[in-house]
Amino acid sequence: MPVVSNTSPILNLALIDKLALLRARFGEIWVPPAVVEELRIEQDLPGSKAVLGAREAGWLQVKEVKEQALVQVLRRDLDQGEAEAIALALQVKAEWMLLDERDGRRVAKQFGLRVTGVLGILLQARREGRLSSLQEAMEQLREKAGFHIRGDLFADLVRKSGERNT
């Protein structure tokens, strides 16, 4: 079954040089056209070379969304990328939906999609031995990507990973 991603997990992992974790865990990732536009891989921006490399390697693939009416309904509460990603995930009966934004996650779950985000991906990679330090990766997310992680969530994830919070 395919895995569909919104912009944030791909971009944030690319920014901290951990994009390969997606391939290691899921194999192939599908994204709708709006996500590709949001990633702006044709521009020389931080993380864009890694994302372009994933597309060229063939494990990050663009897939068209057929249900444009659903996209328009979802646009009432979500941005274009989130709306297309959720519609695509429903269209292809995705095994996982990769999504970080609270509203998008809520809507995806209402449709019965299994959702994880960048923090869940990093935690799982740590548990499987593909990431040496979850704490370090989350600190990089904060510094390089401006990714907000509440202090209590940060500490809880470090505890769940088996690391000591330093």
Side-chain angles (χ1 to χ4, degrees):
M1 286 181 133
V3 173
V4 174
S5 184
N6 188 33
T7 307
S8 176
I10 294 169
L11 180 59
N12 286 308
L13 289 170
L15 288 172
I16 64 168
D17 201 27
K18 303 287 184 214
L19 189 60
L21 292 175
L22 288 180
R23 185 177 192 183
R25 177 156 182 212
F26 301 111
E28 199 171 271
I29 306 293
W30 291 4
V31 295
V35 167
V36 174
E37 288 177 29
E38 290 175 1
L39 287 168
R40 301 187 313 197
I41 57 177
E42 70 286 346
Q43 297 178 23
D44 188 22
L45 297 170
S48 61
K49 283 187 175 77
V51 177
L52 182 59
R55 283 220 35 217
E56 289 173 350
W59 64 266
L60 181 63
Q61 296 189 16
V62 181
K63 301 291 180 180
E64 291 299 320
V65 180
K66 294 177 183 159
E67 290 294 326
Q68 289 302 315
L70 175 58
V71 172
Q72 293 312 310
V73 170
L74 293 171
R75 286 283 292 132
R76 293 179 189 156
D77 298 314
L78 306 173
D79 72 23
Q80 187 70 26
E82 291 167 334
E84 283 191 16
I86 290 170
L88 179 61
L90 292 168
Q91 173 183 312
V92 300
K93 298 175 178 47
E95 180 178 359
W96 282 99
M97 173 86 225
L98 310 182
L99 191 59
D100 287 317
E101 296 78 5
R102 182 180 303 135
D103 289 341
R105 291 172 72 97
R106 177 185 47 78
V107 171
K109 288 177 182 178
Q110 287 174 341
F111 278 105
L113 294 168
R114 288 174 60 192
V115 178
T116 192
V118 69
L119 297 177
I121 292 162
L122 290 171
L123 177 61
Q124 189 64 30
R126 171 69 178 136
R127 287 176 171 164
E128 294 172 354
R130 291 191 315 258
L131 183 66
S132 60
S133 172
L134 175 64
Q135 183 171 336
E136 184 180 305
M138 290 191 300
E139 288 169 355
Q140 288 177 346
L141 276 174
R142 283 177 163 172
E143 293 167 15
K144 293 181 179 179
F147 193 92
H148 178 74
I149 308 169
R150 290 186 335 265
D152 60 327
L153 177 59
F154 190 102
D156 186 48
L157 289 170
V158 169
R159 182 185 52 75
K160 286 179 179 177
S161 75
E163 292 178 38
R164 298 198 115 163
N165 197 350
T166 57

